[in-house]
Amino acid sequence: MESLSAYFDKTVLAWLVAVPFLAAFAVLFTPRQSVKFLRNFSVGAMLVEFVISWHLLARGDYTTAAYQFSASYPLIESWGISFNVGVDGISLWLVMLTTFVTPIALYASWTSVETKVKEFALCFLFLECAMIGAFVSLDLFVFYVFWELMLVPMYLIIGIWGGADRVYASIKFFLYTMVGSLLMFVAILYVVNAYHGVTGTYTFDVTQLSQLVLERQAQLFLFGAFALAFAIKVPMFPFHTWLPDAHVQAPTGGSVILAAVLLKMGTYGFVRFAMPLFPLASHAFAPTLALLAVVGIIYGAYCAWVQKDVKKLVAYSSVSHLGFVMLGIFSVTQQGISGAVLQMVNHGISTGALFLLVGVIYERRHTRLLSAFGGLAKGMPLYTLLFVIVSMSSVGLPGTNGFIGEFMILNGTFLSERLPTAFVFALFASTGVILAAIYMLHAVLKMFWGPLDNPENEGLSDVSGRELTALAPLLALVFVLGFFPGVFLEKMNPAVDGFLRAYNAKLIESSENDEARVLKADALNGATRGDVKLALGQAEGDK
Amino acid sequence: MESFYETALGLIVLIPMLGALLNGIGGCFFKADKAIVKAVAIGAVASAFVLACIAFAGVVQGHGDDPSFALTQHLYEWFSVQVDGRTVPVNVRFTMDALSGFMTVMITGIGLLIHIYAASYMSEEPSFARFFAYLNLFMASMLILVLGSNLPLMFVGWEGVGVCSYLLIGFWFENPAYAAAGKKAFITNRVGDFGVLIGMFILLSATGSFEFGEINRHASSLTMPFQLGSISLEASIATMAVLFLFLGCTGKSAQLPLYVWLPDAMAGPTPVSALIHAATMVTSGVYLACRLSPVFVQSPTAMAVIAVVGTLTALIAASIALVQNQLKKVLAYSTVSQLGFMFAAVGVGAFSAGIFHVLTHAFFKACLFLGAGSVMHAVHAHGDADFRDIGGMKKWMPYTNITFFISCLAIAGIPGTSGFFSKDMILHGALNAGEFFEFAPWLGQAVFGALALGAACTAFYMFRLYYLAFTGEFRGGHGHGHDDHGHDDHGHGHHGDPHESEFGITVPLMVLALGAALVGFLGMPSWAHLPDFWNEWLDGVVAGLPNAHEGHHDSSTGSIAAIVGTIAGVGGWLVARGMFKDKPWHAAEHLSPLHQFLMDKWRVDEFYEAVLIRPMTALAKVSAGIDRVAVDGLTKLAAGAARGFGWLMTRAQTGEMHAYSASMAFGIIGLTWWVAYPHAHIDAAEKGDAVHFVAGSGLGYEYRWDFDSDGEFDTEWGADKRDVSHAYDADSAVAAELVLVEAAGRFSGKYKVRIDEVSGAVDLSTRHLGDGWRTQPHGHTPPSVRYEEGKVFVRPGASSVKVNGTSAEGSEIPVLPGSTVQFGDFAKVRVDAVVRSTLAVRNAFGNLDKTRVDVVVQPKAPAHAARKADKNSSVMALRSEAQ
């Protein structure tokens, strides 16, 4: 037993990536007629994956900012590419969220996905492999590969099992996110090349690359390229328009994964890659991004309010909620970032549950138009209860998970020294709290209250045991996170502290560089030289 | 170690929560028997009440020695935040002191009575279990609100009661108007909650704590101006914090401008109106103000705002209540008005008077609501009872009648009743507030006058209500289910004459009426040498104005307040008695404009609809439209552009043979040129004094180098000369580059200037060298460096100069590239050489191409001095300049 643990300590992350992949491989060689086996096997494999991921929780030491379970398997040595993995208190929770939500989404899908079951299972398993891979990669090349790999199964999930307009939505989703990412790849190559110019070695290892202090101008462009890719994925206003289309057309399971995990890639990317690599540019862009985040919070909420389709309403609410996450990150305060990471998890749980719930009513009524509902509370009390609880969590009611995240983000924004007039940012962002109540309660009112005057809504069956099984873990987490966020925060905080320390140290150093650059500029008349300088001894300076 | 009393605190909250959970799951989904539901719900609140009394006994015990004594139970750390690098824990911690103690007992006590009442009142309700689950959940939230020891925990209760209120107002959700009223209540409250959040953040950043105790201890530091970025506002931190918190209070406690939800909230079942929308939840704003009273008193500006808002609310709501024709509607506006009284008290600094009115109001208003419910129960009116349908209830309902009458006396402030004492304390407080508002010393008197008028109105509308409902002839028996009676879910077993309600209803009424009559004696005026337990009790926890103590004993203002209060109450009563006692009810056909205006509630709802809700809805629609057309339009435009470009490319596919052959011909010509002519390109890497050159390769290329660009090639033609190295000496420079090696250790290796014939001399100044270059204290002339025909000259200016460690004198010192020049004590500049290398390339066709590249090198220093600082700048990325 002990030796098994020790073995897993070294290889658990590789296994987490490999298990869904191997399962997908097995599915590939299963006859498509054995539908029942395929369904059970794929969910079973994901549950095994979930169990394995508990090893991260149980055996990792998250009192430090250091990466846990790190391992490196060389892939292309001459280019310095290796399968270099590790988790810290930030990625831990996103990995856990992924392994937790994916089986639920797949399990819930098995009531509605009747055709091409084998392919659906295959897509989901590949998707999980890619998502986990992206969260644990510390190698930019491998990260990029997983990042793009995620698109393929999701593209297929929307395009094959989606709604009436699925082809348009899936192509839009694919192209929009893909185009944004291409520039990021160019930027990655530039950074690697610059690092090579300084040290003479090629590496894609982000921990090493972030030792590099690039020139301000270069940082601005490179950060821009990264930020575009991530902002589209988040999605940040004004790059969000693929989201409502994708969500509305995606099958329930796809929507759940899209909202719960895929969107987090963007915000995670900012924290893990864009900010540590380009602190000077992050610093310069922070007020702009925070402003866009606040606009997104308010704008997303307003758009959500008047949607006729409840799934679209939830999709726009994601724009608003992710605005909070972005604001927290770019407040560059400890609680802002901790709150943002927590809010990523919260949003995964609440919005995942909301999409599941929307799927429940869609399966019964084959419509999602708010105007088609009304008075559902009469016939579906349990469904109503669940929906109201999740709505309240989405609104950020204290005692539910949503509150802690929003509270910490708003508080972090309020106390931020990086945002000019942080008070005003916090003030406007806080109005999102009011708007969230408006659009969510609007939906609840239209769906559940009032007389049951549409005969088609009569005699609908309440939430089934199967549906409840899928929802119950999410519901439980709503309250666990609401009442005991400390469990999550205590593992997260050291990583966030470490991130901030390194970020600030590097920012100060680059600023000095920057000052010198300004001096140089007026003397040199533009002839640039010494593009890069290795931040020697920075790591020592931190200790 | 927690004491026995302290352990009770968590249980007080936990038990009702458990009750809610049991009834919610067992009652709603497993269809538990009503008797069990009833037992669980009432049992939970009763246990909470008993525990509250026990804990309160503990507070009373401790209070003797220390007026600010508090019991505290720390459960766990909820989460933590960081302020100025310090970790501030947010704890789940309950405390009970004099203030929260009496609130807890009051809430659980009145809650218990109302639970008992509701068990009878709601007995025919099919969703009985759901009702009690909500009600217990409300109790738990309310208790968290008052027992929470810090702002975020209080906020849990604060929003929790909001949700319960939402659910209970819309309890009969099938009626769309009720459901909409619930939504309205929640959203209006959310506007207030936004204020509480911001207020909380302001207090946290100023005091570094969320704990009420800590914040209050640091209250005096809050008078500093509020910083908005780098701007200092006129307003102090306290003013901003209090105003934002007060916004929250206007939401929860139904003050201007956010009171509009409360009258609509009467859509909920009557026990809910009594418990939540009269006795407990709506007073939480007053509680918060008292809890943070040391902060509130720091800002006379904010207090003045509160006083004015409270007074206006009291008057406006009272004026609306004068003309309303439905029982609960009158009571609702009366509640808004009474809450206005409480906030007026808070505003003039009479916190203890405000919270005293919370207590007395809880008794008489709960009794009034429950009495109204009893009447409605008797005549089977649901939702609300119109004066058209009732009248003369005295005859059938003796208990309801007498309790209702006592409560009317109390709310009217007839001497001897509880309302008299609390209202008197408020009026007295207003009269004593004069000096506090330096900018408006008349404010206290103005508030006093307005409140006295409000008190007269109160007495009038309450007795109008009483006489219309309880005296005269019964007018009912004809109409059930007309428009105002939306809900018809109750079983209508029997019609006919009204009847007295069962004991489950009348007993709570009697207890409440007893309280309404008697609790006032807790706070008798001390100026009249009567015992004032109230102010003594709260002295340690609730702040007051600086002159509070003298004020309490000021018999001149005290007697004025008492006399005016009595005249207002008795006067209002007598007028109403004359107008309505035993009179038949007839609704006026034509109302005067003023009457109509009051009837329409000042048209505030319509105003909000026009200036807030419609513009916001419009904005939402516009946003969604913009999103579809403009934001997504841009995306589509980009996609369209790509598609358009693709289309354009297809246009080249004409199928015309001659067009294809023409483009082929051009292509071949281009390729031929590219092959026939060589392309020179140099990559250079510098290493100390040597440079490693690599030329671009091509088909059949031969290379020839002129390393110093003097026009004479240094090598022969050769295909193997692609990759060459050359070491430079100090003489081959075409320009020099000055590299600042060290200046106060700061800019090492980062500052570089190139000098050549064109740029001539460069002045080095403080900005570059720091201060250390000056050898004479007042020397101003900075050193400068000049380049001329391959040679570098240093003019020392006011500095001393050392070249390669040897002192040098003279007005212009020649320096060789590769040397290090030291100015003053420690600023060092290295002189590097810029060398220019030329490459010629020819290919098999004999065509030639040339290019040049400039490289910075560090030629071997001619003298003995080694370049110490080299390690700093060994790394440089280079750029070739192809020409």
Side-chain angles (χ1 to χ4, degrees):
Chain A
M1 206 50 217
E2 193 48 44
S3 64
L4 188 67
S5 280
Y7 170 73
F8 265 122
D9 283 345
K10 291 194 205 88
T11 56
V12 61
L13 292 175
W15 277 113
L16 279 175
V17 177
V19 166
F21 185 81
L22 294 175
F25 205 68
V27 164
L28 209 57
F29 292 99
T30 307
R32 60 174 59 253
Q33 289 80 4
S34 21
V35 171
K36 198 158 181 222
F37 173 78
L38 281 167
R39 288 180 171 166
N40 292 336
F41 175 75
S42 51
V43 173
M46 287 180 176
L47 289 177
V48 169
E49 172 90 347
F50 180 55
V51 171
I52 297 175
S53 69
W54 271 84
H55 187 84
L56 301 180
L57 259 188
R59 300 271 300 185
D61 173 17
Y62 300 101
T63 54
T64 76
Y67 289 105
Q68 301 294 302
F69 308 104
S70 26
S72 185
Y73 309 90
L75 293 178
I76 308 175
E77 276 184 84
S78 55
W79 296 353
I81 297 171
S82 58
F83 184 71
N84 182 358
V85 291
V87 289
D88 63 358
I90 296 172
S91 48
L92 164 75
W93 293 114
L94 296 169
V95 171
M96 295 299 291
L97 176 72
T98 310
T99 59
F100 172 72
V101 170
T102 320
I104 293 176
L106 187 62
Y107 176 76
S109 299
W110 291 143
T111 52
S112 54
V113 172
E114 305 280 347
T115 55
K116 303 195 181 74
V117 169
K118 178 173 164 178
E119 287 78 0
F120 195 80
L122 209 59
C123 283
F124 253 74
L125 287 164
F126 269 125
L127 188 59
E128 181 166 29
C129 164
M131 293 187 300
I132 300 279
F135 281 135
V136 300
S137 294
L138 298 177
D139 183 283
L140 271 175
F141 189 89
V142 176
F143 167 75
Y144 184 76
V145 168
F146 281 124
W147 168 272
E148 293 288 46
L149 207 60
M150 271 181 314
L151 290 182
V152 180
M154 188 44 89
Y155 165 70
L156 295 174
I157 289 170
I158 299 173
I160 297 174
W161 293 274
D165 240 353
R166 56 183 180 272
V167 176
Y168 169 75
S170 61
I171 292 179
K172 189 172 182 176
F173 161 74
F174 193 91
L175 285 184
Y176 208 142
T177 41
M178 168 98 180
V179 167
S181 314
L182 285 176
L183 281 178
M184 175 168 77
F185 191 59
V186 176
I188 291 174
L189 293 182
Y190 183 98
V191 174
V192 170
N193 206 34
Y195 186 84
H196 174 253
V198 171
T199 62
T201 52
Y202 283 110
T203 182
F204 282 79
D205 182 346
V206 71
T207 45
Q208 291 191 38
L209 291 177
S210 51
Q211 306 267 308
L212 196 67
V213 179
L214 291 159
E215 238 206 325
R216 184 188 158 88
Q217 201 64 32
Q219 283 203 22
L220 290 178
F221 278 109
L222 297 172
F223 181 82
F226 272 69
L228 182 68
F230 294 145
I232 289 173
K233 199 72 143 201
V234 168
M236 269 194 106
F237 172 86
F239 304 111
H240 62 272
T241 54
W242 61 269
L243 186 75
D245 285 323
H247 265 315
V248 169
Q249 298 305 328
T252 299
S255 284
V256 172
I257 295 296
L258 190 58
V261 186
L262 252 55
L263 304 189
K264 310 300 154 6
M265 290 291 166
T267 44
Y268 171 74
F270 275 107
V271 178
R272 175 65 80 238
F273 300 109
M275 291 176 77
L277 284 174
F278 318 115
L280 211 54
S282 312
H283 182 66
F285 275 117
T288 316
L289 286 170
L291 182 69
L292 281 180
V294 173
V295 171
I297 292 170
I298 296 171
Y299 177 87
Y302 269 114
C303 287
W305 185 6
V306 290
Q307 295 305 319
K308 297 183 177 77
D309 182 324
V310 58
K311 212 169 176 188
K312 217 164 189 171
L313 187 147
V314 179
Y316 275 108
S317 83
S318 289
V319 176
S320 186
H321 282 139
L322 270 298
F324 274 108
V325 177
M326 290 303 295
L327 183 63
I329 292 174
F330 283 97
S331 74
V332 203
T333 52
Q334 196 263 348
Q335 64 259 47
I337 294 174
S338 282
V341 177
L342 196 66
Q343 191 66 357
M344 290 185 212
V345 177
N346 290 337
H347 177 261
I349 291 164
S350 310
T351 310
L354 270 179
F355 278 120
L356 283 181
L357 285 163
V358 172
V360 167
I361 194 69
Y362 183 72
E363 274 177 39
R364 286 163 177 65
R365 289 280 284 103
H366 298 288
T367 178
R368 289 181 303 250
L369 291 180
L370 285 174
S371 56
F373 304 128
L376 292 179
K378 184 95 182 141
M380 305 174 76
L382 182 57
Y383 180 65
T384 310
L385 174 70
L386 298 179
F387 201 101
V388 170
I389 290 176
V390 178
S391 300
M392 288 301 166
S393 133
S394 177
V395 165
L397 192 81
T400 66
N401 56 348
F403 173 69
I404 312 288
E406 272 181 18
F407 184 88
M408 291 180 73
I409 288 168
L410 290 175
N411 194 25
T413 307
F414 184 88
L415 296 171
S416 172
E417 285 161 9
R418 295 291 161 76
L419 301 174
T421 59
F423 177 69
V424 180
F425 279 91
L427 201 65
F428 277 95
S430 302
T431 60
V433 171
I434 304 170
L435 295 170
I438 293 181
Y439 65 73
M440 271 332 289
L441 291 194
H442 167 76
V444 169
L445 177 72
K446 290 279 177 208
M447 286 177 77
F448 300 105
W449 314 142
L452 199 129
D453 44 14
N454 187 342
E456 285 184 63
N457 292 330
E458 281 165 24
L460 298 178
S461 58
D462 208 339
V463 176
S464 70
R466 197 187 164 85
E467 287 159 341
L468 191 62
T469 312
L471 282 163
L474 294 169
L475 263 289
L477 270 185
V478 163
F479 293 110
V480 170
L481 266 158
F483 284 103
F484 307 104
V487 179
F488 299 81
L489 288 169
E490 77 179 2
K491 291 205 167 32
M492 196 183 290
N493 282 340
V496 172
D497 284 339
F499 164 81
L500 274 178
R501 258 201 314 280
Y503 176 82
N504 286 332
K506 198 173 163 195
L507 188 62
I508 290 164
E509 186 180 357
S510 338
S511 307
E512 281 184 2
N513 231 4
D514 191 42
E515 201 179 326
R517 189 196 62 82
V518 174
L519 298 179
K520 190 162 64 182
D522 39 357
L524 257 178
N525 287 329
T528 54
R529 202 162 267 277
D531 256 357
V532 288
K533 177 187 174 290
L534 187 62
L536 290 168
Q538 182 221 320
E540 286 78 19
D542 290 346
K543 286 166 196 164
Chain B
M1 193 56 206
E2 273 166 16
S3 72
F4 163 70
Y5 299 119
E6 288 171 332
T7 322
L9 297 182
L11 290 176
I12 295 174
V13 173
L14 215 60
I15 292 175
M17 204 180 276
L18 220 61
L21 214 61
L22 278 178
N23 275 340
I25 295 169
C28 297
F29 296 107
F30 296 98
K31 309 287 170 226
D33 194 63
K34 274 188 185 176
I36 299 175
V37 170
K38 204 194 292 190
V40 168
I42 296 178
V45 180
S47 325
F49 176 61
V50 171
L51 286 167
C53 289
I54 292 172
F56 191 64
V59 176
V60 172
Q61 225 173 52
H63 192 268
D65 304 327
D66 172 14
S68 59
F69 176 81
L71 300 170
T72 302
Q73 187 184 22
H74 177 93
L75 289 181
Y76 62 95
E77 184 184 311
W78 192 17
F79 59 100
S80 65
V81 295
Q82 278 198 346
V83 187
D84 301 331
R86 211 162 47 78
T87 302
V88 178
V90 180
N91 294 315
V92 176
R93 182 209 298 257
F94 298 116
T95 73
M96 187 191 263
D97 62 0
L99 177 61
S100 53
F102 107 80
M103 284 293 282
T104 309
V105 173
M106 181 192 95
I107 291 160
T108 49
I110 291 188
L112 177 60
L113 291 174
I114 293 175
H115 271 71
I116 294 170
Y117 175 97
S120 297
Y121 186 82
M122 301 293 284
S123 58
E124 289 166 28
E125 171 60 46
S127 304
F128 192 72
R130 184 161 62 92
F131 178 78
F132 278 104
Y134 290 167
L135 218 53
N136 271 359
L137 189 61
F138 168 77
M139 291 300 293
S141 308
M142 191 68 210
L143 289 165
I144 293 175
L145 196 161
V146 293
L147 287 174
S149 79
N150 52 59
L151 274 162
L153 189 59
M154 182 224 68
F155 195 64
V156 175
W158 184 273
E159 290 235 301
V161 292
V163 174
C164 297
S165 160
Y166 161 72
L167 292 169
L168 283 163
I169 295 168
F171 180 72
W172 290 308
F173 55 80
E174 280 162 75
N175 183 325
Y178 292 6
K183 188 178 104 169
K184 180 176 173 182
F186 192 83
I187 290 171
T188 318
N189 268 300
R190 268 261 152 167
V191 177
D193 297 349
F194 151 80
V196 178
L197 264 184
I198 300 288
M200 220 188 284
F201 295 156
I202 295 176
L203 287 179
L204 172 73
S205 72
T207 66
S209 180
F210 278 132
E211 294 286 326
F212 289 121
E214 282 292 307
I215 292 172
N216 285 338
R217 253 194 294 292
H218 290 107
S220 55
S221 68
L222 298 176
T223 47
M224 286 180 306
F226 185 81
Q227 297 286 329
L228 187 65
S230 53
I231 313 157
S232 257
L233 297 189
E234 283 282 305
S236 70
I237 298 173
T239 305
M240 293 294 280
V242 169
L243 285 179
F244 273 108
L245 288 174
F246 180 60
L247 177 63
C249 299
T250 60
K252 192 101 324 187
S253 296
Q255 297 295 292
L256 279 175
L258 297 179
Y259 74 92
V260 289
W261 64 272
L262 186 58
D264 288 16
M266 298 305 146
T270 303
V272 172
S273 307
L275 177 61
I276 301 183
H277 304 125
T280 54
M281 182 185 89
V282 289
T283 60
S284 32
V286 186
Y287 168 75
L288 178 63
C290 291
R291 184 86 283 172
L292 288 174
S293 48
V295 176
F296 275 57
V297 291
Q298 300 302 322
S299 171
T301 321
M303 295 280 277
V305 171
I306 297 172
V308 170
V309 169
T311 310
L312 283 179
T313 310
L315 275 182
I316 291 175
S319 74
I320 297 172
L322 289 175
V323 299
Q324 297 301 313
N325 290 334
Q326 286 158 331
L327 278 182
K328 282 176 76 176
K329 203 121 249 172
V330 175
L331 290 177
Y333 280 103
S334 154
T335 305
V336 176
S337 172
Q338 295 301 309
L339 290 165
F341 273 85
M342 297 171 203
F343 273 103
V346 166
V348 296
F351 293 94
S352 56
I355 202 84
F356 191 36
H357 203 54
V358 167
L359 177 68
T360 60
H361 179 254
F363 279 98
F364 56 70
K365 188 52 70 62
C367 185
L368 288 169
F369 265 115
L370 295 184
S374 174
V375 169
M376 286 154 60
H377 196 62
V379 299
H380 303 287
H382 303 291
D384 208 338
D386 205 292
F387 290 141
R388 284 177 280 200
D389 301 328
I390 53 176
M393 305 309 293
K394 198 171 167 178
K395 196 157 60 174
W396 289 283
M397 309 184 73
Y399 299 117
T400 307
N401 173 50
I402 184 74
T403 53
F404 203 91
F405 185 71
I406 292 171
S407 301
C408 281
L409 289 177
I411 192 173
I414 306 303
T417 61
S418 62
F420 170 78
F421 291 112
S422 58
K423 216 171 274 186
D424 179 54
M425 210 188 275
I426 294 173
L427 291 174
H428 191 185
L431 274 186
N432 284 333
E435 295 152 32
F436 183 58
F437 303 107
E438 285 167 7
F439 45 88
W442 45 266
L443 192 64
Q445 278 98 322
V447 168
F448 172 81
L451 289 186
L453 179 62
C457 291
T458 308
F460 176 82
Y461 67 69
M462 279 316 302
F463 278 103
R464 168 177 176 269
L465 173 71
Y466 172 76
Y467 289 121
L468 284 172
F470 285 88
T471 66
E473 291 298 313
F474 180 53
R475 296 175 288 272
H478 51 81
H480 295 301
H482 65 71
D483 293 347
D484 292 321
H485 302 177
H487 182 66
D488 54 7
D489 226 29
H490 281 217
H492 288 222
H494 46 92
H495 288 220
D497 284 344
H499 53 86
E500 180 57 287
S501 309
E502 56 264 44
F503 282 126
I505 287 178
T506 52
V507 170
L509 284 179
M510 288 186 266
V511 177
L512 288 169
L514 199 66
L518 297 179
V519 287
F521 290 104
L522 288 174
M524 291 187 286
S526 49
W527 58 266
H529 306 292
L530 294 167
D532 179 4
F533 300 115
W534 190 256
N535 279 305
E536 274 172 38
W537 174 249
L538 289 178
D539 210 27
V541 286
V542 175
L545 299 187
N547 64 349
H549 278 281
E550 302 86 73
H552 287 314
H553 298 290
D554 186 340
S555 60
S556 64
T557 51
S559 49
I560 294 173
I563 291 166
V564 173
T566 309
I567 292 173
V570 176
W573 176 17
L574 292 179
V575 174
R577 189 171 193 275
M579 283 171 73
F580 301 106
K581 184 165 193 265
D582 295 325
K583 298 277 164 50
W585 162 254
H586 47 83
E589 296 278 310
H590 295 288
L591 301 177
S592 69
L594 177 66
H595 194 155
Q596 184 65 48
F597 182 64
L598 294 180
M599 197 72 180
D600 293 342
K601 306 148 199 162
W602 292 52
R603 308 194 70 81
V604 172
D605 276 319
E606 287 81 357
F607 176 73
Y608 284 174
E609 173 79 26
V611 302
L612 280 176
I613 297 166
R614 269 196 229 130
M616 274 175 76
T617 324
L619 184 60
K621 288 196 175 125
V622 169
S623 301
I626 286 177
D627 204 55
R628 222 175 20 254
V629 179
V631 183
D632 199 27
L634 280 178
T635 314
K636 286 187 176 141
L637 199 69
R643 182 186 297 230
F645 183 70
W647 176 85
L648 217 61
M649 290 293 99
T650 65
R651 292 304 90 192
Q653 306 277 327
T654 54
E656 303 275 347
M657 210 52 212
H658 56 267
Y660 288 175
S661 42
S663 50
M664 200 164 99
F666 281 118
I668 288 170
I669 290 167
L671 277 175
T672 311
W673 175 83
W674 191 78
V675 172
Y677 288 85
H679 306 278
H681 172 80
I682 307 173
D683 282 322
E686 161 272 352
K687 204 164 191 182
D689 60 340
V691 181
H692 181 210
F693 296 101
V694 182
S697 64
L699 198 66
Y701 281 11
E702 287 183 306
Y703 310 91
R704 194 178 195 194
W705 294 89
D706 175 5
F707 292 118
D708 45 10
S709 295
D710 56 358
E712 288 171 27
F713 284 97
D714 301 327
T715 67
E716 290 307 311
W717 288 104
D720 57 337
K721 297 287 192 305
R722 188 175 156 242
D723 194 339
V724 293
S725 278
H726 184 77
Y728 288 91
D729 55 26
D731 292 334
S732 38
V734 294
E737 185 161 276
L738 307 180
V739 180
L740 188 55
V741 176
E742 207 177 314
R746 204 158 162 234
F747 297 123
S748 49
K750 285 168 190 159
Y751 171 60
K752 293 185 183 115
V753 198
R754 184 175 296 193
I755 47 173
D756 51 25
E757 310 283 0
V758 185
S759 59
V762 170
D763 286 344
L764 300 168
S765 68
T766 320
R767 204 159 60 122
H768 308 137
L769 299 178
D771 278 326
W773 56 269
R774 285 191 181 92
T775 35
Q776 297 115 331
H778 299 294
H780 289 300
T781 326
S784 74
V785 185
R786 187 166 65 84
Y787 176 88
E788 196 183 313
E789 290 174 1
K791 295 199 171 57
V792 177
F793 301 93
V794 172
R795 286 194 189 116
S799 171
S800 73
V801 170
K802 281 184 189 168
V803 178
N804 291 331
T806 327
S807 291
E809 297 283 339
S811 63
E812 244 185 16
I813 305 159
V815 176
L816 282 172
S819 316
T820 303
V821 186
Q822 181 177 338
F823 297 99
D825 292 335
F826 49 76
K828 281 186 189 154
V829 171
R830 195 179 69 228
V831 180
D832 287 346
V834 178
V835 295
R836 182 167 295 158
S837 178
T838 305
L839 165 71
V841 180
R842 76 172 180 206
N843 67 0
F845 296 99
N847 293 319
L848 206 70
D849 189 29
K850 277 189 186 175
T851 187
R852 288 191 309 183
V853 66
D854 285 1
V855 186
V856 180
V857 293
Q858 295 158 23
K860 285 253 155 37
H864 57 277
R867 297 194 305 275
K868 285 174 195 158
D870 255 11
K871 60 177 188 291
N872 282 325
S873 55
S874 62
V875 176
M876 253 188 288
L878 297 171
R879 232 171 45 141
S880 69
E881 293 152 60
Q883 297 184 346

